Amino acid sequence: GSNIGAGSLDLSSSQPLITRYSEELPSDLDMVDFRSKVKEEEYTPYIITSFQESDRVNALLQEVRNSLAELELGISGQLNVTESMESLSESLQLNRVNEAWQNLAYPSLKSLSAWFADLISRVAVLGAWAGGRELLRSIWISGLFNPMAFLTAVMQVTARENSLPLDYMTNRSRFLNTRDPSEIGGLPANGVHIHGLFMEGASWEDGKGDDEGYLADSKMKELHPEMPVANIYSVHIEKMEWIHMYHCPVFMTAQRGATFVVQVNVRMDADDDDEGHWVLAGAGLLMSDD
């Protein structure tokens, strides 16, 4: 990164970027319309999650839109220039996500241009999911502010269907042999499909036929291989077994640490019963490849 101070950057130099990002920014999701189409008895944990996510993305869109408009007024002399305007101008010119935006967003290591393209994708997916009022064939788990809330919804739905207390449920994962969500015929028999995960510290060997793939040693030049679509479904904790499974941590970014989301079962090779190898390799799943 550059060490240029805010004072040495010309405020007006950010005008082309303000214009570009303002034009690219999607409209807010129409939550009044979305909510008006759902009767009270139709609310499911999935619909609730999709609406919570949509509300959060709208708050972020409004902050981005308003702060860009304010900076434009500051440049034209219609508003007094504030520290937050100078900070935003600097972020735009250095291709960094502004702190005020980051505070309303999600953990990310992306540059501003990549972050912005990612935001546009998130809005499109949430619009289709929340607006359609039903689960998509596969949910882009990495595009959620709170992926754990969605994974909890899977357990809530299963607990209700089987009249079990939520405390007795846990999620189980099974990776398919496709990375293209459009190749999936529809919703799984149990649970949900998710995509958008990447492996770090290992690679993934696809299975043959209907067999599930398994963990393999990292390959050169393959830093974060994309994982296949996964079926996430809930089971009673007493039925959860870990034979030939690695207790794999899932993080939102490669920074790991506080971006930890959950632990999932990831299959090891049939003759591999030593998790220690993968622990030492630092094998983990990430929700972003940068």
Side-chain angles (χ1 to χ4, degrees):
S2 170
N3 293 320
I4 302 169
S8 61
L9 286 172
D10 178 18
L11 212 63
S12 59
S13 301
S14 56
Q15 183 59 58
L17 294 160
I18 296 170
T19 304
R20 182 189 133 196
Y21 286 127
S22 298
E23 285 173 357
E24 287 179 6
L25 193 70
S27 305
D28 289 1
L29 296 172
D30 190 344
M31 298 312 296
V32 174
D33 178 55
F34 291 178
R35 287 193 165 94
S36 72
K37 290 176 177 165
V38 181
K39 299 188 185 80
E40 198 149 326
E41 66 275 13
E42 291 174 343
Y43 273 91
T44 65
Y46 295 135
I47 287 178
I48 291 166
T49 304
S50 74
F51 284 5
Q52 287 171 339
E53 287 285 329
S54 300
D55 285 336
R56 287 190 69 175
V57 88
N58 275 353
L60 177 55
L61 289 172
Q62 287 156 16
E63 170 64 30
V64 171
R65 192 179 299 111
N66 294 342
S67 59
L68 288 170
E70 274 188 359
L71 176 55
E72 194 159 40
L73 291 171
I75 290 170
S76 69
Q78 291 171 265
L79 281 180
N80 287 334
V81 174
T82 62
E83 267 183 45
S84 61
M85 289 180 195
E86 287 180 344
S87 161
L88 177 55
S89 173
E90 179 186 11
S91 298
L92 291 170
Q93 293 181 65
L94 299 180
N95 198 22
R96 281 191 204 136
V97 182
N98 187 247
E99 196 178 341
W101 298 2
Q102 186 61 65
N103 289 342
L104 286 174
Y106 23 79
S108 174
L109 303 175
K110 289 176 161 55
S111 66
L112 174 58
S113 50
W115 181 91
F116 207 88
D118 178 76
L119 171 61
I120 292 169
S121 301
R122 288 168 185 255
V123 176
V125 169
L126 282 172
W129 178 21
R133 303 184 303 289
E134 58 184 17
L135 267 176
L136 305 177
R137 279 183 296 189
S138 179
I139 294 289
W140 179 33
I141 190 88
S142 318
L144 303 180
F145 284 78
N146 186 354
M148 194 60 222
F150 176 68
L151 296 172
T152 304
V154 179
M155 293 190 281
Q156 287 171 324
V157 168
T158 311
R160 282 182 193 178
E161 284 171 354
N162 298 288
S163 303
L164 288 165
L166 182 60
D167 297 354
Y168 291 176
M169 307 306 297
T170 187
N171 279 336
R172 188 167 181 82
S173 64
R174 177 181 170 83
F175 287 91
L176 311 184
N177 290 320
T178 178
R179 284 167 180 73
D180 183 356
S182 67
E183 286 182 3
I184 300 168
L187 294 172
N190 294 303
V192 297
H193 289 127
I194 64 164
H195 62 279
L197 295 174
F198 301 87
M199 181 59 77
E200 185 174 71
S203 65
W204 183 254
E205 190 68 40
D206 285 354
K208 306 282 184 285
D210 288 334
D211 290 348
E212 187 178 19
Y214 52 87
L215 281 169
D217 286 325
S218 296
K219 298 189 174 92
M220 286 287 285
K221 295 184 181 168
E222 201 180 57
L223 188 60
H224 295 137
E226 183 186 1
M227 287 294 284
V229 174
N231 176 199
I232 303 289
Y233 57 99
S234 299
V235 295
H236 193 289
I237 40 178
E238 287 172 3
K239 292 184 178 164
M240 181 68 176
E241 50 90 9
W242 289 86
I243 301 161
H244 299 304
M245 291 289 178
Y246 168 51
H247 291 71
C248 186
V250 184
F251 302 93
M252 291 181 91
T253 77
Q255 225 163 2
R256 298 197 173 205
T259 74
F260 175 79
V261 178
V262 70
Q263 177 179 269
V264 297
N265 60 291
V266 175
R267 187 167 295 285
M268 303 187 292
D269 200 355
D271 56 9
D272 179 5
D273 55 10
D274 175 26
E275 279 194 87
H277 173 72
W278 303 113
V279 174
L280 288 173
L285 288 167
L286 307 177
M287 293 191 172
S288 175
D289 60 347
D290 49 20

